[in-house]
Amino acid sequence: MTELTRWIAEHATATDDHDTMLARVCEALCAAGVPLWRVSVMSPAIDPTVRGVSLNWLLGQGLTFVPNPHGAEQEADWLRSPIFAMLERGQTFGRWRLDSPGPETDYPILHGLRAEGGTEYAVQIVGFAPGTALRGVAISFCTQARDGFTQADLAAVAAVMPTFALAVAKLGLGHTLREVTATYLGRSTAERVLDGQIQRGQGRAVPAAILLTDLRGFTALSDRADPYDMVTWLNEHFDALGDPVARHGGEILKFLGDGFLAIFPVADAGILPCPVCNSALDAAADGLAANAALNDHRRAAGLPELTADCVVHFGTVVYGNVGTERRLDFTVIGRAVNEASRIESQCEALGHTLLVSDSFAERCARPLKTVGTIELRGLARPQKVWTLPGD
């Protein structure tokens, strides 16, 4: 197994490819005479949508990736798993004969494996260094061999376990780092940070469509509503308004209390009409429509409604790091951001939920109607604003 462990270390060092590694390990063990039928690598996740993930290998069928979402049903399944029982007893290795039912095999997953012809199931738990929710990894092995696993089989598996588990830890931590930074910073911004752009003041000028939203009346409602209800309602509005941003190619850079700032970087500002600006306007329109539908649902349920105001603007911003020496924010700074905020503050006074700046309108292919002219603090000349027909 020396050659296999060397390959595992080299592969995990050079790539982030879980799939090839697991397949190669399983195939090598089978070639060495270990009667593997099913192998599963299970790990907790630091992810807002899933509690953990499983990568499963099945003889003759290859690999499947299974995300395990958060929820009461998934929690109940976890509490009835052999891995949970092992952790409760402080065990790191366990094995179960599946062809002799009894109290020790009364777990739903073992019932399923037995029904498919499994004869023995073994689990190795490897703990990781404390400090994060990635507490470790559980690697299960199942066979359909009549006599189950021999001591020689288990010794062959044990020989590759330390290197394999270390490789899984490295790959899992790398994946988690990318996903956590993308969750809190946005996918594009996370890529920049992980690429090493972490010095204060480091940034570059980027022409971009800017989308800024704000929920009207949120502060007044929060004074009289239950704070947990407010969090739930706020998240629902952010789903309605924010999902179209990602769908149309933008990125939410930051949440601003009851609103958010998103940008749509423009690679070539000379192309007119601007397809990126059209996408930003579509995102704004779709988000406001979804928010209106959410309010209809709220109204029917007797719950409070929250109108959203939105502005789309175009300008050059500095996209980079700002903050203290050890606490940074990767965001956009510039006059265009300030202008967007000032335009958004005029939505209610002008009677529209969407305002389009003059600089954005001249780049957009969609028909717009003039709302009027407003004066913005800091600008020498009045700013003409627009909206979509029907708003």
Side-chain angles (χ1 to χ4, degrees), residues 237 240 286-300 305:
H237 284 284
D286 290 353
L288 289 171
N291 195 70
L294 174 60
N295 280 330
D296 289 341
H297 177 75
R298 290 263 182 78
R299 190 183 311 115
E305 306 168 45

Side-chain angles (χ1 to χ4, degrees), residues 280-338:
L281 185 57
D282 288 341
D286 290 353
L288 289 171
N291 195 70
L294 174 60
N295 280 330
D296 289 341
H297 177 75
R298 290 263 182 78
R299 190 183 311 115
L303 296 173
E305 306 168 45
L306 287 168
T307 300
D309 292 329
C310 183
V311 62
V312 286
H313 186 38
F314 178 83
T316 298
V317 296
V318 175
Y319 185 29
N321 289 293
V322 62
T324 68
E325 184 178 7
R326 297 296 302 174
R327 177 63 176 88
L328 297 174
D329 187 12
F330 205 114
T331 186
V332 289
I333 300 292
R335 186 177 68 181
V337 179
N338 298 331

Side-chain angles (χ1 to χ4, degrees), residues 67-379:
N68 303 303
H70 295 287
E73 183 178 347
Q74 288 73 25
E75 179 68 15
D77 289 343
W78 163 245
L79 295 176
R80 294 185 298 157
S81 69
I83 297 172
F84 176 78
M86 288 174 62
L87 292 171
E88 287 291 285
R89 294 193 291 259
Q91 298 175 324
T92 58
F93 179 78
R95 59 190 296 199
W96 292 263
R97 289 292 304 194
L98 304 182
D99 49 2
S100 54
E104 279 298 303
T105 60
D106 192 20
Y107 300 107
I109 187 173
L110 300 189
H111 292 314
L113 294 173
R114 182 188 304 119
E116 295 180 52
T119 57
E120 187 170 4
Y121 177 81
V123 174
Q124 178 72 56
I125 296 177
V126 180
F128 297 163
T132 75
L134 296 180
R135 296 177 297 277
V137 63
I139 305 166
S140 69
F141 305 87
C142 193
T143 182
Q144 291 180 321
R146 184 182 64 181
D147 295 328
F149 292 119
T150 66
Q151 289 303 315
D153 295 334
L154 296 177
V157 171
V160 301
M161 268 304 99
T163 306
F164 182 65
L166 182 61
V168 169
K170 181 268 180 183
L171 297 176
L173 288 171
H175 175 78
T176 298
L177 180 61
R178 291 190 296 274
E179 291 303 311
V180 169
T181 53
T183 297
Y184 283 93
L185 300 176
R187 184 70 61 184
S188 177
T189 303
E191 290 174 358
R192 294 173 183 271
V193 170
L194 294 178
D195 190 46
Q197 298 181 37
I198 59 171
Q199 289 184 307
R200 182 169 58 168
Q202 187 177 22
R204 63 188 180 93
V206 177
I210 300 167
L211 188 154
L212 187 66
T213 69
D214 185 69
L215 291 172
R216 196 185 299 175
F218 179 84
T219 301
L221 179 60
S222 63
D223 286 340
R224 62 180 188 274
D226 180 272
Y228 287 101
D229 289 338
M230 290 301 302
V231 170
T232 298
W233 298 335
L234 186 61
N235 287 334
E236 291 174 349
H237 284 284
F238 282 157
D239 277 342
L241 295 161
D243 286 351
V245 171
R247 192 165 63 246
H248 288 286
E251 183 166 297
I252 296 175
L253 288 185
K254 61 171 59 181
F255 291 94
L256 308 165
D258 56 350
F260 61 76
L261 169 66
I263 65 166
F264 296 72
V266 176
D268 188 346
I271 297 177
L272 294 176
C274 176
V276 175
C277 289
N278 289 335
S279 294
L281 185 57
D282 288 341
D286 290 353
L288 289 171
N291 195 70
L294 174 60
N295 280 330
D296 289 341
H297 177 75
R298 290 263 182 78
R299 190 183 311 115
L303 296 173
E305 306 168 45
L306 287 168
T307 300
D309 292 329
C310 183
V311 62
V312 286
H313 186 38
F314 178 83
T316 298
V317 296
V318 175
Y319 185 29
N321 289 293
V322 62
T324 68
E325 184 178 7
R326 297 296 302 174
R327 177 63 176 88
L328 297 174
D329 187 12
F330 205 114
T331 186
V332 289
I333 300 292
R335 186 177 68 181
V337 179
N338 298 331
E339 290 170 355
S341 178
R342 292 167 187 165
I343 296 170
E344 184 275 323
S345 69
Q346 301 298 309
C347 285
E348 185 172 8
L350 294 173
H352 292 279
T353 58
L354 172 66
L355 292 180
V356 179
S357 74
D358 208 16
S359 61
F360 189 100
E362 65 187 17
R363 304 179 57 81
C364 184
R366 292 183 61 175
L368 301 169
K369 70 175 184 180
T370 304
V371 170
T373 301
I374 59 176
E375 293 189 6
L376 299 178
R377 179 170 51 87
L379 293 186

